[in-house]
Amino acid sequence: MEFGVETDPKLAQSAPLNRQTGPQGPTVLRLLGPLAVVRDGVAVELPASRKVRALLAYLVLAPGPVPRSRICGLLWDDVANDPRGELRWCLTKLRKILNAPGRERVRASKNTLALDLDGCDVDVLRLAAADVTELSPRELRDLAALCSGPFLEDLAIDRSPRFDAWLEEQRQRLDACAAAIRRRLAAQAASGPVGEKSAAEKPAPHRASLAVMPFREDEVQPGGIAGGLTHDIITRLAKLRHFFVIAQGSVFALAEQKLGVTEAASRLDVDYVAGGSLRRRDGHIVVTAELIETRSGRLVWSETFDRQRDDLFAVLDEIGNRIVSSIAAEIETAERNVALLKPPSSLNAWEAYHRGLWHMYRFTRDENAIARDFFAQAVKLDPTFARAHAGLSFTHWQSAFQNWEDRARQIDLAYDTAGQSLMVDDRDPVAHWAMGRALWLRGRPDDSLDELQGAVDLSPNFALGHYALSFVHSQSGDPKAAIAASDQSRRLSPFDPLLFGMLGARAMALVRLGAFDEAADWAVKAAARPNAHSTILAIAAHCSALAGRLDEARGYAAGIRKTRPDYRAEDFLATFQFAPETAALFRAGARRIGLN
């Protein structure tokens, strides 16, 4: 496994790796770079309509029949006069492109559309189905030759935001596949000639792998909401780019074979399997989800979500967000615990990275230095591991923020290592998160917000991205946006190691809105977290003082001075980047408790 979304190679064997053309060859569809269709060895003239091209691409990648209503909503805006009529016109053009005497490839029913691509040579399907660890150099070069440009190059549909979002998602996924092929070829070139690899020679996976099996539903029907929920969870997990996620086609194909979880996990060779069920009951949607570690068969996580069906799609979106965030957090914790049991010298890059996370989240100077060493070890073992570079950036950021080491040098190092993370993988939300934080350290809050927004655009389920947005907005941006981002980060990751920061950012935003009592309540919650450091205690002290809770505020001030006897309001203000009027508020609070 080499890239974020993967298909079982056994299910892709029908797609030949040699490019067949000529009269006896298959119908050829090329969607990477300029769109092209070749039938019976002759290039098919394509209509100028961009929506016909978009329809072709969408149906090619659809895992099954697609409702006509969904396509109308995808390609036509709400003001279109007759979207179904325009869709019928597009289908007429599509039939001319794909259908041949005796072969109707466009399958249209009253309510759904699908393509019969059996025997076709489709570049995007071959690319997404390939397991690059199993391919010979020649096969890899053949696949690399297909990657002649971005998916649907230069295609854009006016006033179609849903299609734009789908198109960007597919481009990211296929770009990741192409990058994996290039990396594999480069690695083979660096190590000399490589022959065919047996299964026994297959290298250990660089990252943990996960299969999300289709959620079971009482009312089983094609295109049911359980299938849609499964698809959304797979897609959102893949966007996190933190571990390998088996593609939907593979897991659905195995589910159709009625395989149990253990057998499916064995067939897919994954470290974790997730799944669950969906029931409709008395106006409620009840979703049960679970995560199993396949190495031990241990149930890692399980939760039941019971929601009213007031707005079905909003409810499923909220449940999907919670499931994705919980799965990501639980796998990270499990992998971290495994790494802790191994001698440091035996760790691979993935394990060294997770060992670094464990130390990083202790939030002390000594633990931060140990975390830095583990991240550096991970980078040395695998320079292409973007998150290891981002981890290094985090440790330098922490050193600068806490004034543990030379601030100017640590700011430069935080920025440089974030840049390395972006250079390795500019589609990883963590890389943009690291750069956004580094830009904030450099006193560039607007650029920081742009970078952090890019992180959550790449992965809306990235809790730390929302928290970082809250952190920057709470000081110099929009305080209401800070509160919303803090709330979203906590919804996504309610037990996050950085929960104290999420709560503290909300408190600082409330101070800017003049809600001192409420700010104090949230700051006290932040200070109560077991890993809260002195800066969080300082937020609680200042907010409590502004709320007139002076005894409580003095207690936090005394706690700070146990480790930092000379701590003053100016130390607090130097840590953050408040506007002058906000700084004046905090100074006033500090005077009331002797921190001035």
Side-chain angles (χ1 to χ4, degrees):
M1 305 179 208
E2 285 284 326
F3 40 79
V5 179
E6 185 169 320
T7 301
D8 184 351
K10 299 181 183 67
L11 303 175
Q13 291 175 353
S14 60
L17 280 172
N18 58 310
R19 292 185 66 177
Q20 301 181 40
T21 56
Q24 302 305 315
T27 296
V28 177
L29 280 71
R30 293 289 174 257
L31 288 84
L32 297 172
L35 181 64
V37 178
V38 177
R39 198 173 68 227
D40 295 330
V42 178
V44 177
E45 184 177 354
L46 300 176
S49 169
R50 288 176 292 178
K51 290 189 177 178
V52 172
R53 296 165 184 251
L55 175 62
L56 170 61
Y58 189 78
L59 292 177
V60 163
L61 289 176
V66 182
R68 288 177 182 251
S69 57
R70 183 188 304 170
I71 295 174
C72 289
L74 189 79
L75 297 179
W76 285 275
D77 58 24
D78 294 335
V79 300
N81 290 329
D82 183 14
R84 285 187 174 265
E86 294 188 46
L87 175 58
R88 287 193 294 271
W89 179 87
C90 289
L91 285 173
T92 300
K93 300 294 183 181
L94 196 57
R95 289 187 178 97
K96 292 180 179 179
I97 296 171
L98 295 178
N99 287 352
R103 190 61 181 265
E104 298 288 326
R105 294 198 177 275
V106 179
R107 302 288 179 85
S109 70
K110 180 179 179 181
N111 296 316
T112 64
L113 300 173
L115 295 182
D116 172 12
L117 297 175
D118 185 42
C120 292
D121 180 1
V122 187
D123 54 358
V124 292
L125 299 183
R126 286 171 53 184
L127 186 66
D131 180 348
V132 299
T133 64
E134 297 293 338
L135 300 182
S136 68
R138 178 181 176 183
E139 291 170 329
L140 286 169
R141 287 192 295 270
D142 286 344
L143 277 179
L146 294 178
C147 304
S148 58
F151 176 61
L152 294 185
E153 188 173 27
D154 299 328
L155 181 69
I157 306 295
D158 294 337
R159 300 188 306 278
S160 299
R162 295 178 186 173
F163 178 78
D164 291 342
W166 174 84
L167 180 60
E168 179 60 25
E169 177 185 320
Q170 300 307 318
R171 283 175 174 166
Q172 291 178 20
R173 180 170 72 95
L174 294 166
D175 284 350
C177 296
I181 291 167
R182 291 192 295 269
R183 287 197 302 269
R184 188 68 177 168
L185 281 170
Q188 289 182 347
S191 61
V194 180
E196 297 290 335
K197 298 188 66 158
S198 68
E201 295 172 310
K202 185 175 178 179
H206 174 65
R207 288 178 267 177
S209 51
L210 167 71
V212 181
M213 301 304 293
F215 277 61
R216 302 178 301 278
E217 183 177 1
D218 292 341
E219 300 177 22
V220 179
Q221 55 184 331
I225 60 175
L229 177 63
T230 307
H231 170 76
D232 287 346
I233 290 170
I234 291 172
T235 301
R236 296 178 194 187
L237 284 167
K239 285 183 177 181
L240 289 172
R241 297 171 77 82
H242 191 35
F243 34 74
F244 296 114
V245 184
I246 301 298
Q248 175 176 319
S250 294
V251 293
F252 274 74
L254 289 180
E256 289 176 359
Q257 298 177 31
K258 309 297 183 184
L259 297 182
V261 170
T262 303
E263 188 176 355
S266 176
R267 287 277 298 275
L268 293 167
D269 189 22
V270 291
D271 301 305
Y272 298 89
V273 174
S277 63
L278 183 150
R279 304 191 310 278
R280 312 177 202 217
R281 184 185 64 197
D282 300 328
H284 283 229
I285 289 288
V286 181
V287 177
T288 299
E290 62 183 23
L291 177 68
I292 297 171
E293 182 191 40
T294 61
R295 287 172 290 205
S296 62
R298 178 173 63 94
L299 180 65
V300 175
W301 166 81
S302 179
E303 191 164 347
T304 298
F305 305 89
D306 189 336
R307 301 288 188 273
Q308 289 187 341
R309 290 179 57 185
D310 297 333
D311 184 336
L312 177 60
F313 292 106
V315 166
L316 289 176
D317 188 60
E318 185 261 329
I319 292 174
N321 281 337
R322 286 290 306 278
I323 291 173
V324 168
S325 299
S326 297
I327 287 174
E330 293 294 340
I331 289 178
E332 186 168 278
T333 299
E335 293 295 302
R336 203 158 59 225
N337 291 341
V338 169
L340 284 171
L341 299 176
K342 293 190 174 184
S345 60
S346 71
L347 302 177
N348 60 28
W350 170 259
E351 293 162 339
Y353 167 74
H354 280 85
R355 187 76 166 261
L357 288 179
W358 189 89
H359 290 282
M360 184 183 83
Y361 286 140
R362 307 278 76 76
F363 298 106
T364 69
R365 180 173 184 166
D366 291 342
E367 294 286 353
N368 194 64
I370 296 172
R372 185 182 303 168
D373 290 341
F374 277 112
F375 291 138
Q377 179 181 343
V379 166
K380 183 177 180 180
L381 290 168
D382 183 0
T384 68
F385 194 1
R387 294 204 171 193
H389 292 284
L392 274 175
S393 180
F394 187 100
T395 61
H396 292 303
W397 190 96
Q398 198 69 264
S399 289
F401 184 72
Q402 302 277 16
N403 285 303
W404 286 335
E405 299 178 59
D406 180 79
R407 182 176 172 85
R409 174 163 172 72
Q410 292 303 309
I411 289 174
D412 287 343
L413 288 171
Y415 181 79
D416 291 344
T417 47
Q420 288 293 323
S421 183
L422 274 175
M423 286 178 62
V424 169
D425 188 355
D426 66 355
R427 297 294 187 182
D428 192 327
V430 172
H432 291 272
W433 171 76
M435 179 55 74
R437 287 162 55 87
L439 288 168
W440 176 83
L441 275 179
R442 288 195 153 197
R444 296 163 55 184
D446 291 342
D447 293 335
S448 172
L449 288 173
D450 287 343
E451 202 70 47
L452 295 171
Q453 187 61 50
V456 298
D457 286 344
L458 283 170
S459 178
N461 295 93
F462 182 38
L464 291 184
H466 291 283
Y467 159 52
L469 279 171
S470 175
F471 176 82
V472 177
H473 272 304
S474 71
Q475 300 163 61
S476 56
D478 180 350
K480 292 183 179 179
I483 291 171
S486 171
D487 292 345
Q488 178 66 355
S489 67
R490 289 181 293 107
R491 277 193 294 269
L492 291 170
S493 187
F495 306 107
D496 201 276
L498 284 164
L499 185 58
F500 61 78
M502 300 170 182
L503 299 167
R506 198 182 202 282
M508 292 190 295
L510 287 165
V511 166
R512 292 179 59 204
L513 293 171
F516 299 146
D517 287 334
E518 192 177 353
D521 289 340
W522 287 96
V524 166
K525 292 178 182 178
R529 300 301 302 169
N531 54 354
H533 48 68
S534 59
T535 302
I536 302 301
L537 298 182
I539 294 174
H542 286 80
C543 290
S544 296
L546 287 170
R549 294 153 57 168
L550 300 185
D551 288 343
E552 196 172 14
R554 291 187 183 105
Y556 289 120
I560 297 167
R561 284 178 168 165
K562 287 180 181 178
T563 55
R564 302 180 66 178
D566 299 326
Y567 193 85
R568 294 289 183 270
E570 292 308 314
D571 296 308
F572 176 73
L573 295 174
T575 300
F576 298 102
Q577 297 177 21
F578 296 115
E581 59 272 19
T582 305
L585 276 175
F586 283 117
R587 283 193 183 95
R591 284 193 295 271
R592 302 179 71 179
I593 57 174
L595 271 181
N596 56 310

